[in-house]
Structure formats: structure tokens, C-alpha cells
Amino acid sequence: MAHDLLIRNGTVVDGTGRPGERADVAISDGRITAVGRLAGEAANETIDAEGHVVAPGFIDGHTHMDAQVYWDPLGTCSSYHGITSVVMGNCGFTLAPSRADARELVVRNLERAEDISPEAMAEGIRWGFETYAEYLDAIDALPKGINYAGYVGHSALRTYAMGERAFEEEATEDDVAAMQRELAAGMAAGAMGFTTSRTLNHRTSDDRPVASRLASWEEVRALVGVAGNAGGLFEITNEDAPVEDPGAQPEYFGRMEALAKESGATIMFGVGCSRHAPDNWRPWMGLIDRVSDGGGRMFAQVHSRPFNIILNFEGQLPYDGLPAWKALRARSRAEQIAALRDPVTRAQLVHEAHHGEYGLAVGAEARKPDYDWVLVMGDPLGPHERVGDLAKARGVDPVELMIDLALESDLKQNFLQPFANEIEEHVLSLMKHPRSLVTFSDAGAHVSQISDCSIATHLLGYWVRQQQAVTLEEAVSMLTAQPATAFGFSDRGRVAEGGIADLAIFDPETVAPGVPRIEHDLPGGARRLVQEATGFLATVVAGEVLLREGRHTGALPGRILRRGAAAR
């Protein structure tokens, strides 16, 4: 029998957690037709996967690729790291629904809160939709390398129903009814569910709360009820008080438990740890356990490493808002290098870095440095030396050390500024919790500040290979079958006969994230961090080889994944 694609001699780690076994995988018409020791030939291609793992394609359930899908059919940098399916529209931020005469309201919600370049959106998005159903159809028609599913975002719903009032006041009964109708229509068209944000970190470019933050809890309940009635999901960026103050947790947790029970929706939110409050994550996991044990469905979205701001003299620095630094950073690259070598200028910059007035950082933004928690990035898997320790060892000021390292690397040296998940044993506990999903990359957002599409390769390279704290089979399940089950992707996330042939083929001895670098490749020339990966022999989407050793083959087999039967 001739197959379209035949993958021979690999170790199949099927996503279920079972031990890997040596087997071949046959694919025809985009689906897996057989797994085992197989005879026959391939009509199109045979891949020799000797020494490699054949795993399901990885699934990332927390992205913001709603705009990026227009200008980047490969879904980079996620696809470089074995991701074959993403869920976009988290935190209440989507492009649709949006009225043709009020596009700027949607952009206002996105550009600061998710650090998505307004210039890139202006040049890259081809508007032509208003409703969420029309948006899904528009994305469906685009060439795509990977698969995309999407939520309906609360901030977009509010501006669609209320216009400018969405940033100023609570909704009326008529406003809520209009939002419910549009959400129901989006769910019928295949939206995954509904998302919102209630954190103070999410602000607009004109320094106002994003639209969802003006909503009452009753408005949230009314909309989650629509998603739940349709069998959908609800993702929320939580309120700040219960995150920061244990005393505020009982009231908020009570609201969340009641919401899960009354709506029937699957509820998800991010959970991390912090060196400032090491055990604050535990009550959140307790909430999830109580809801789940009581018959509800609630999951934590977690990370595989610290949440890092990436600092770089080619990109962003914590000092960029200080007057002398701002003047420096406005100059050409060559002029900056010359100024950084000048002793008088250096002295002024160092003094201002220590004594200048820093603004209040919100969300994923650089903040005033604590040099014991600014790290010099070498091997992306670590370990990373602390700027403070290196400065003491060299007998120099830590700011001078950063300048010296930048000059030694032609300004390419990366520094890491962790703002959460600094305690490794707690990160490991979060990943291993049975109701956690390792799926929190924020890919498509904060692209000049973070590069968390690499959480999958960090899990495989660091926790599996280096630390041996997670088995290969556990890690693959965390990245595939577990999120597929939570999101309802019934025929993805496993290497099994009849399933969609989305596959990641990688060398477990070399798989790892690469070093992030600054590129100006967004529409309009805006900058972003680009991070590739090592160790991938091939990434397969719907039975077609999308990437071969990290390079695009020209295939664009991706599709829109719609909730329910249409998601297949």
C-alpha cells in the first residue's frame, strides 16, 4: 500500500503518557492511517526518523496571534518550536467584532496591553469583517502554515456594542443583550469561547483601562453563561486583589466557584509563582481542585520557566525613558556605540540609571533593575549568571558591566529580567499538577519584550534532558494530549490511527530553544524578537511537511479549528 507520507524508524511518543516505542507512522489524506512496523512505500515522501522522537504536534492555548496571522502564515516563532495549533484571542483582546467606522477602538485595546505595534496592524491587517463569524471566515481564507482557533474577546465585544462608552461606563441591559447576541453568533460559527481581563496591568495607549475592565461582574456572568450554554470555554486574566492579597481570595474564589457551577463553562486562567510571595500559587490550585472535584472544569495555564523580559541594546532597556538614555537611544547605532565608549557619557548614563525617575511598569514591561535579578543570557537553557555577581567579581558598576558586555557583543548580548516564576521547584510543581496546562506563551504579543513561544523546547531541553525531573513521555503529554483534551481538539494531540497528522519530529538529545535576536520584520518595519530552535527534523501539519530542519518547505496546510465537530 502506498501512503502519502511514511515516517520510519522513529520512537513514537504518542501523547498519552505511555512509554515510547519504536514504530513507523503512515499518513494519507492528512490523517494517520497506521502506527507500527509497516510495509509499503510512500507516494510523496519517506522520512527516516532514526534517533528521533515522533510526537503529536504541540498545542499552545494562550496566544495573541489574531493580527499576526495576517502577515505571518507560518505562525513564527511558535512553529519553530514544534507548535502546530494555537488558540488566540486570550485576555479579552480580539480584532472582532469591530465596526468599520470604529476600528481604532479595537486597536486601542491591543496596542499597549499586548504590545502589538499599531503600525504593523495598520499596514498588515486586511479589514473586511465586522462580526466574529466574518473574522473566522476571513482567517479561514488566508494561507496558513499552522492551525488557529480563537475566542471572542470581551473588550472587542464591548466596543462593538457600546462604542466609546465601553471605556467609560458599565453596560446597560441593552448593551449586555447586544453583546450576548454577538457572542452567541460567534460561538455558533465555531469560536472556542469567551475571554476577559480584569487586571490593572491592561491599559490602553492613552492610559485608560481596557474596555473589559469597566464591566461589572454581572456582565461577565451574563457573557460566560452564553459561552457555557454552547459548550465553550472561558479564559480570564484575574483581578489583582486576590492575586496580591490572600485576604481578598475568599470572596473572589466564591464568585469563581459559583460561575463555574452556574455556567458549565470550562474555565482557565494563568497561575505563576513569585519570589516575593513564594506560596501564593497554592490557594489558586486549591480553587481549581475544589471546582474540578465538584464536577466543574477548571485549569491553570502555566509556564515552564521564569517569565522573563528580554533586555537588549538593540531592543529595549529599563533605562529607555530616562532623559540621557532616551537621547542616546534616539541616535544611530554607530553613534550609540561611540557614545557608550566615551567615559564622560558613560558616567552620565550610569549615574542616571541609578538615580533617574522610572515610570511604573505594568504587565510585560521592563522595570527598574534589581541587579541581583538581572541575568546575563548565554545558553538559552541556562544557567544564567547574575549581573550583580559578575559586576562584583570584575569590580565594576553593574550598569557599566551591561554596557561592556553589550559592546563586546556588537550590542547583541541579551539580559533577562524575571518578573515571575523565579523559584524552580514551584515551577515544576505547577507543571506537574494534574489540572495544569503548559500553554502560556503569549505568542503574538509583547514581541519586542518577551519570547515565550519557547516554553515547549525549554520543557524538553531543560526539564527532561538536563534536569531529568520530567520524563519525555510526561513532557510530550503536557504539550499535546493534555491541552487537546482541555480545549476539545478530539482528533489532535495523539499519534493514533484516524487522528489528524500534526506531528513534531525531534532529537531528544539536542532539542532546545535558540538565542533570541532582534529583527525588524513586522509590517512597517517594527521590531520583534525572533527565536528559532534546534533539534527538529520536521514539523508536519495535516500530513504535509511544513518545516524541514527549521526551514519552510513552501507548504501551507494550516486551517481554522472551530469548536465542536467543525474543529476536526
Side-chain angles (χ1 to χ4, degrees), residues 74-236:
L74 293 184
T76 62
C77 298
S78 297
S79 59
Y80 296 149
H81 298 264
I83 303 294
T84 57
S85 298
V86 300
V87 183
M88 54 190 182
N90 287 271
C91 308
F93 301 124
T94 51
L95 295 181
S98 58
R99 300 193 183 280
D101 59 353
R103 306 293 192 201
E104 72 279 1
L105 302 183
V106 168
V107 172
R108 187 188 301 170
N109 282 313
L110 285 166
E111 59 182 323
R112 178 179 175 188
E114 296 301 331
D115 183 34
I116 300 176
S117 163
E119 294 80 15
M121 287 191 282
E123 185 169 324
I125 298 170
R126 297 191 295 279
W127 301 97
F129 54 83
E130 290 201 3
T131 68
Y132 194 82
E134 291 170 345
Y135 171 76
L136 281 184
D137 288 343
I139 300 303
D140 216 355
L142 293 176
K144 294 173 291 299
I146 62 173
N147 307 306
Y148 296 84
Y151 294 107
V152 182
H154 194 178
S155 284
L157 270 177
R158 286 194 115 239
T159 55
Y160 183 73
M162 300 172 63
E164 191 68 37
R165 291 187 300 114
F167 299 95
E168 300 166 353
E169 60 191 52
E170 291 189 5
T172 66
E173 288 185 9
D174 288 345
D175 293 331
V176 173
M179 285 186 264
Q180 287 178 305
R181 287 193 298 272
E182 170 56 22
L183 176 56
M187 297 296 298
M192 298 298 294
F194 167 70
T195 68
T196 195
S197 171
R198 298 178 69 80
T199 177
L200 299 176
N201 286 333
H202 284 156
R203 302 188 66 81
T204 65
S205 52
D206 55 355
D207 204 31
R208 292 192 289 172
V210 295
S212 66
R213 283 180 48 201
L214 277 292
S216 67
W217 188 253
E218 289 307 305
E219 179 182 325
V220 173
R221 287 180 59 205
L223 294 167
V224 176
V226 173
N229 286 340
L233 295 85
F234 171 51
E235 184 272 337
I236 181 171

Side-chain angles (χ1 to χ4, degrees), residues 419-491:
F419 63 92
N421 269 24
E422 307 97 330
I423 305 173
E424 282 203 341
E425 57 266 34
H426 292 183
V427 173
L428 182 61
S429 295
L430 281 166
M431 288 194 299
K432 287 202 166 193
H433 192 282
R435 297 184 177 100
S436 287
L437 304 172
V438 183
T439 180
F440 199 171
S441 78
D442 256 3
H446 311 293
V447 294
S448 68
Q449 305 177 43
I450 67 173
S451 185
D452 287 352
C453 58
S454 59
I455 59 175
T457 45
H458 185 86
L459 171 58
L460 294 167
Y462 182 75
W463 289 109
V464 175
R465 184 172 66 248
Q466 288 191 0
Q467 297 299 306
Q468 299 182 18
V470 179
T471 69
L472 176 62
E473 290 81 2
E474 283 179 313
V476 168
S477 184
M478 288 174 181
L479 299 171
T480 60
Q482 291 178 28
T485 298
F487 286 99
F489 300 143
S490 59
D491 51 7

Side-chain angles (χ1 to χ4, degrees), residues 143-433:
K144 294 173 291 299
I146 62 173
N147 307 306
Y148 296 84
Y151 294 107
V152 182
H154 194 178
S155 284
L157 270 177
R158 286 194 115 239
T159 55
Y160 183 73
M162 300 172 63
E164 191 68 37
R165 291 187 300 114
F167 299 95
E168 300 166 353
E169 60 191 52
E170 291 189 5
T172 66
E173 288 185 9
D174 288 345
D175 293 331
V176 173
M179 285 186 264
Q180 287 178 305
R181 287 193 298 272
E182 170 56 22
L183 176 56
M187 297 296 298
M192 298 298 294
F194 167 70
T195 68
T196 195
S197 171
R198 298 178 69 80
T199 177
L200 299 176
N201 286 333
H202 284 156
R203 302 188 66 81
T204 65
S205 52
D206 55 355
D207 204 31
R208 292 192 289 172
V210 295
S212 66
R213 283 180 48 201
L214 277 292
S216 67
W217 188 253
E218 289 307 305
E219 179 182 325
V220 173
R221 287 180 59 205
L223 294 167
V224 176
V226 173
N229 286 340
L233 295 85
F234 171 51
E235 184 272 337
I236 181 171
T237 304
N238 285 307
E239 296 175 10
D240 297 282
V243 173
E244 299 169 356
D245 177 12
Q249 289 175 350
E251 187 274 336
Y252 185 71
F253 287 2
R255 275 189 275 147
M256 291 291 282
E257 290 184 61
L259 184 63
K261 182 177 181 179
E262 71 189 18
S263 70
T266 298
I267 297 178
M268 299 183 182
F269 47 80
V271 179
C273 60
S274 169
R275 69 183 190 271
H276 302 295
D279 292 311
N280 271 13
W281 60 275
R282 297 185 189 276
W284 291 91
M285 301 312 296
L287 165 67
I288 290 170
D289 284 338
R290 287 194 303 276
V291 168
S292 301
D293 291 343
R297 294 188 85 228
M298 187 176 279
F299 295 93
Q301 296 184 345
V302 304
H303 214 281
S304 66
R305 57 169 171 75
F307 289 91
N308 291 317
I309 304 298
I310 298 179
L311 309 175
N312 185 297
F313 277 72
E314 289 187 323
Q316 66 155 4
L317 294 168
Y319 322 119
D320 287 345
L322 304 176
W325 283 87
K326 189 173 184 178
L328 170 78
R329 308 280 279 149
R331 299 165 72 178
S332 71
R333 178 189 178 88
E335 289 172 332
Q336 288 188 54
I337 290 173
L340 291 169
R341 295 188 187 281
D342 175 64
V344 175
T345 303
R346 281 172 66 112
Q348 180 186 11
L349 294 170
V350 169
H351 181 271
E352 188 176 61
H354 288 296
H355 302 288
E357 293 188 14
Y358 289 79
L360 177 64
V362 297
E365 297 178 9
R367 65 265 341 256
K368 185 176 181 178
D370 170 357
Y371 294 102
D372 289 334
W373 285 99
V374 177
L375 312 176
V376 180
M377 186 183 197
D379 183 332
L381 293 178
H384 308 297
E385 294 185 276
R386 299 172 188 262
V387 165
D389 291 343
L390 274 177
K392 288 177 186 175
R394 294 191 184 188
V396 299
D397 182 274
V399 182
E400 284 205 78
L401 175 77
M402 292 177 67
I403 292 172
D404 287 340
L405 293 177
L407 290 171
E408 290 168 12
S409 64
D410 193 28
L411 303 188
K412 296 186 183 302
Q413 176 65 57
N414 291 319
F415 304 90
L416 304 177
Q417 189 177 41
F419 63 92
N421 269 24
E422 307 97 330
I423 305 173
E424 282 203 341
E425 57 266 34
H426 292 183
V427 173
L428 182 61
S429 295
L430 281 166
M431 288 194 299
K432 287 202 166 193
H433 192 282

Side-chain angles (χ1 to χ4, degrees), residues 12-21 54-56 473 476 480-481 493-496:
V12 173
V13 179
D14 66 4
T16 66
R18 291 194 296 261
E21 59 181 4
V54 181
E473 290 81 2
V476 168
T480 60
R494 295 170 180 81
V495 181

